[in-house]
Amino acid sequence: MKAAAKAHTNIALIKYWGKRDDALILPMNNSLSLTLDGFYTTTAVEFQNSLSADRFYLNGRLTEGTAYSRVTAFLDRIRDVAGQPDRFAEIHSTNHVPTAAGFASSASGFAALAAAATKAIGLAPNEQELSMLTRQGSGSACRSIYGGFVEWEKGTEADGSDSYAVPVAPADHWNIKVAAVILSSDEKKVLSREGMKRTVDTSVYYPAWVASIPDDLAAIKDGIMAKDFEKVGAIAEANCLRMHATTLAARPPFSYWQSTTISIMQAVQDLRAGGVPAFFTIDAGPNVKVLYTPEYEETVRNTLRHISGVHDVTVTGPGSGVSYI
Amino acid sequence: MKAAAKAHTNIALIKYWGKRDDALILPMNNSLSLTLDGFYTTTAVEFQNSLSADRFYLNGRLTEGTAYSRVTAFLDRIRDVAGQPDRFAEIHSTNHVPTAAGFASSASGFAALAAAATKAIGLAPNEQELSMLTRQGSGSACRSIYGGFVEWEKGTEADGSDSYAVPVAPADHWNIKVAAVILSSDEKKVLSREGMKRTVDTSVYYPAWVASIPDDLAAIKDGIMAKDFEKVGAIAEANCLRMHATTLAARPPFSYWQSTTISIMQAVQDLRAGGVPAFFTIDAGPNVKVLYTPEYEETVRNTLRHISGVHDVTVTGPGSGVSYI
């Protein structure tokens, strides 16, 4: 009744932006991500007969509140599937995801938790089943089951039975780099779940966002297969800007960007103007991730580090899928 | 054969963004502006038999190139209407519009030129005819014929005969303030005409922008009539953000914003969070204009002046329409 797993976070190149079902976490559009080597969560789960409730230790500290509620609600689903509704677990989870870099630790966190908890309770889901289950803890986490380039198929069924991640290309297919730019201040005024919901409900641009995804996906998958960096980068950058534009047309409008976000975007565009193929992508927050190929490591790092408002830069590359440890 | 006129620039609260006819300058959507007291152009036109071409002095200097071409092409229309194709003019124009504040001097410039040139050549257009003619020199200039709050009706005729400005409320209807925030650097990488065209041609959000205008217009006119500042400000700010969002979905995407643009937007939102009703609007460039009511003059000025990247702040209010001097 004990198991431990490790899962990496991922960065979306085609963004997940909007739910068609809040409870089951079913998305409005397919998305595509790269699982990242450098940022991960390890989680150990042990079901114990003596427990009358789950106990969740995050980074060594017993945790209550929202984080605990999300974990225990997710374990409820696993208990349901296993037919063991009354078995509770002690969970020890460690995040190796710098919060300041603007990665959601929920992606690696729920992927590792799903893998460890299902094994600990005696289930043996295949990767597709594991992805589908993980999705119900945190949407983007379903992509972290696989390494490398991964697509999350939105599916069309009301019960979510066809909404899960599928591998596009493994981590060793293509060594592209991702620089996570850490800002000096990173207050997020609109939470991503709330912002996503407000956008779906009120943005006049939202339908056109959803309609624009199939073309982006087809083109970026071609680019990934052909290792065409300019193509992949340009599509990812345009997709990110189109996503952020939806928030500016919400009622009331809002933006995740800070002044430094714009400075970094411009620095990346200036790099390109100077012949360095670099592209940016931005999730629901002010932080920027910069994509480039290994030969430009030095130039990109130096450029990003010297932007006013940038605290640090952390570089990583393609990572593997979930594994037992 | 000699006349001089003065016209003020204007700031759009509902943006003109996209042409349905490039040659006649016919817009895709109605727009609404406030004519501004502080920023204006004076222009004297004298038709002289001795001239075989127009001579254009801008701020005291004989001018060639694009500025000259636009002026002389515009005078060609006036010569056509007057049936005097071979009479050329000496034009002296002085702009009292700080370029660094990000106002298009073409609005006040073409309104003053249209008024002075038509009178000098012996025409006597009424205001509607003058607005229609001015529109063909510079779109937004057609609104500067009137003072105060002005709507530009896009019209539906192919020849533009129903596309002109109409007065909504005069300058003395409501004393609201406009602070023009002057940035330390103001490089504009995408010109407004080019950006507008790329957006109309390629942005997947553009149709929804056009469709969103009638509701904005009806609501802001209600707000202006009722002198409901919160309503007018919120609509203007949302309209501006929705306009800028269209550029992020163009192919390739682009933005007019600089990092300081975001800093000012956030400062204005912080003012509101602190109980000061202030709203921003941004044209096709990085500069921000802040709307507020006179009692908050000191607070708004001080807040804006102390933002990093802000060089200066110039305040003005509602101005009058075109006049002969």
Side-chain angles (χ1 to χ4, degrees):
Chain A
M1 303 306 282
K2 190 172 171 181
K6 175 183 178 182
H8 295 92
T9 192
N10 66 76
I11 178 76
L13 305 181
I14 305 296
K15 301 297 183 193
Y16 155 47
W17 191 238
K19 296 183 182 71
R20 63 181 165 93
D21 185 308
D22 289 345
L24 290 172
I25 312 188
L26 298 174
M28 295 288 277
N29 62 273
N30 285 26
S31 53
L32 187 143
S33 60
L34 176 62
T35 300
L36 297 176
D37 189 49
F39 310 120
Y40 60 95
T41 302
T42 55
T43 298
V45 176
E46 183 172 13
F47 284 93
Q48 299 172 352
N49 290 331
S50 59
L51 290 173
S52 59
D54 298 317
R55 292 169 64 86
F56 175 45
Y57 293 84
L58 179 60
N59 300 329
R61 297 179 69 136
L62 187 64
T63 300
E64 296 180 330
T66 311
Y68 174 79
S69 305
R70 283 184 73 185
V71 164
T72 198
F74 182 63
L75 289 184
D76 285 346
R77 294 184 186 267
I78 291 175
R79 282 185 276 262
D80 272 0
V81 174
Q84 301 182 45
D86 299 322
R87 305 216 58 194
F88 298 98
E90 187 165 299
I91 305 109
H92 290 266
S93 194
T94 306
N95 279 333
H96 302 265
V97 182
T99 307
F103 286 112
S105 56
S106 60
S108 52
F110 277 94
L113 177 63
T118 49
K119 187 175 180 193
I121 209 166
L123 296 169
N126 62 28
E127 286 180 318
Q128 183 177 304
E129 290 163 340
L130 190 58
S131 175
M132 207 185 306
L133 188 62
T134 302
R135 188 203 76 224
Q136 297 169 64
S138 168
S140 58
C142 81
R143 296 183 308 232
S144 279
I145 298 303
Y146 298 99
F149 297 90
V150 182
E151 182 174 358
W152 174 9
E153 295 185 345
K154 66 184 175 70
T156 55
E157 299 293 338
D159 66 356
S161 57
D162 57 352
S163 184
Y164 45 76
V166 294
V168 170
D172 61 7
H173 167 68
W174 193 16
N175 185 25
I176 67 173
K177 293 292 178 188
V178 178
V181 187
I182 298 166
L183 307 187
S184 303
S185 72
D186 66 342
E187 243 184 295
K188 199 201 271 196
K189 281 181 187 162
V190 179
L191 292 174
S192 74
R193 286 197 167 197
E194 180 197 329
M196 188 186 265
K197 185 157 176 50
R198 192 197 298 175
T199 303
V200 175
D201 291 347
T202 69
S203 175
V204 294
Y205 295 161
Y206 189 72
W209 154 261
V210 173
S212 74
I213 300 301
D215 284 353
D216 273 3
L217 265 173
I220 204 167
K221 285 193 282 189
D222 283 351
I224 291 166
M225 287 309 145
K227 300 183 191 176
D228 181 341
F229 184 71
E230 300 263 356
K231 182 171 183 171
V232 168
I235 295 166
E237 188 172 300
N239 181 270
C240 137
L241 291 171
R242 208 179 317 116
M243 173 205 132
H244 283 269
T246 63
T247 72
L248 299 175
R251 288 168 195 264
F254 66 99
S255 175
Y256 291 109
W257 298 350
Q258 305 281 348
S259 58
T260 309
T261 312
I262 298 272
S263 300
I264 300 167
M265 288 162 59
Q266 290 183 333
V268 170
Q269 289 166 337
D270 289 347
L271 277 171
R272 284 210 295 281
V276 177
F279 296 86
F280 61 78
T281 185
I282 307 166
D283 281 337
N287 298 76
V288 183
K289 311 296 179 291
V290 181
L291 310 172
Y292 60 96
T293 47
E295 63 268 39
Y296 296 103
E297 176 82 25
E298 204 60 23
T299 311
V300 172
R301 261 184 194 268
N302 282 339
T303 300
L304 296 176
R305 270 190 184 141
H306 290 95
I307 297 168
S308 167
V310 169
H311 178 68
D312 202 2
V313 178
T314 306
V315 170
T316 189
S320 54
V322 75
S323 59
Y324 290 101
I325 53 179
Chain B
M1 302 307 282
K2 188 172 173 181
K6 175 182 179 182
H8 295 93
T9 192
N10 66 76
I11 178 76
L13 306 181
I14 304 295
K15 301 297 183 194
Y16 154 47
W17 191 237
K19 296 184 183 70
R20 63 182 165 94
D21 185 307
D22 288 346
L24 290 171
I25 312 189
L26 298 175
M28 296 287 277
N29 62 274
N30 285 27
S31 54
L32 186 143
S33 61
L34 177 62
T35 300
L36 297 176
D37 189 50
F39 311 120
Y40 60 94
T41 301
T42 55
T43 298
V45 176
E46 184 172 13
F47 286 93
Q48 299 173 352
N49 290 332
S50 59
L51 290 173
S52 59
D54 297 317
R55 293 170 63 86
F56 174 46
Y57 293 85
L58 180 59
N59 300 328
R61 298 179 67 137
L62 187 65
T63 300
E64 296 180 332
T66 311
Y68 174 79
S69 304
R70 283 184 73 185
V71 163
T72 197
F74 182 64
L75 289 184
D76 285 347
R77 294 184 187 268
I78 291 174
R79 283 185 275 262
D80 272 1
V81 174
Q84 301 183 46
D86 299 321
R87 307 218 55 199
F88 298 98
E90 187 166 299
I91 306 110
H92 290 267
S93 195
T94 306
N95 278 334
H96 301 265
V97 182
T99 307
F103 287 111
S105 56
S106 60
S108 53
F110 278 92
L113 177 63
T118 50
K119 187 175 180 192
I121 209 166
L123 295 170
N126 63 27
E127 287 180 317
Q128 182 178 303
E129 291 163 340
L130 190 58
S131 174
M132 207 184 308
L133 187 63
T134 302
R135 187 202 76 224
Q136 298 170 63
S138 169
S140 58
C142 81
R143 296 182 307 231
S144 279
I145 298 304
Y146 298 99
F149 297 89
V150 182
E151 182 173 358
W152 175 8
E153 295 184 345
K154 66 185 174 72
T156 55
E157 299 293 337
D159 66 357
S161 57
D162 57 352
S163 184
Y164 45 75
V166 294
V168 170
D172 62 5
H173 167 69
W174 192 16
N175 185 26
I176 67 173
K177 292 293 178 188
V178 178
V181 187
I182 298 165
L183 307 187
S184 304
S185 73
D186 66 341
E187 245 184 292
K188 199 200 274 195
K189 282 181 187 163
V190 180
L191 292 174
S192 74
R193 285 196 168 200
E194 180 197 330
M196 189 185 267
K197 186 158 175 51
R198 193 197 299 173
T199 302
V200 175
D201 291 347
T202 69
S203 175
V204 294
Y205 295 160
Y206 189 73
W209 154 261
V210 173
S212 74
I213 300 301
D215 283 353
D216 273 4
L217 265 174
I220 205 167
K221 285 194 281 188
D222 282 352
I224 290 166
M225 288 310 147
K227 301 183 190 175
D228 181 341
F229 185 71
E230 300 263 354
K231 182 172 183 169
V232 168
I235 294 166
E237 188 172 299
N239 182 270
C240 138
L241 291 171
R242 208 180 317 116
M243 173 205 133
H244 283 269
T246 63
T247 72
L248 299 175
R251 289 170 194 263
F254 67 99
S255 175
Y256 292 109
W257 298 350
Q258 304 281 348
S259 57
T260 309
T261 312
I262 297 271
S263 300
I264 300 166
M265 288 162 59
Q266 290 183 333
V268 170
Q269 289 166 337
D270 289 347
L271 277 171
R272 283 210 296 280
V276 177
F279 297 87
F280 60 79
T281 186
I282 307 165
D283 281 338
N287 297 76
V288 183
K289 311 295 180 292
V290 181
L291 310 172
Y292 60 96
T293 47
E295 63 267 39
Y296 296 103
E297 176 82 26
E298 203 60 24
T299 310
V300 171
R301 260 185 195 268
N302 282 339
T303 299
L304 296 175
R305 269 188 185 143
H306 290 95
I307 298 168
S308 167
V310 168
H311 178 68
D312 203 1
V313 177
T314 307
V315 170
T316 188
S320 54
V322 74
S323 59
Y324 292 101
I325 52 179

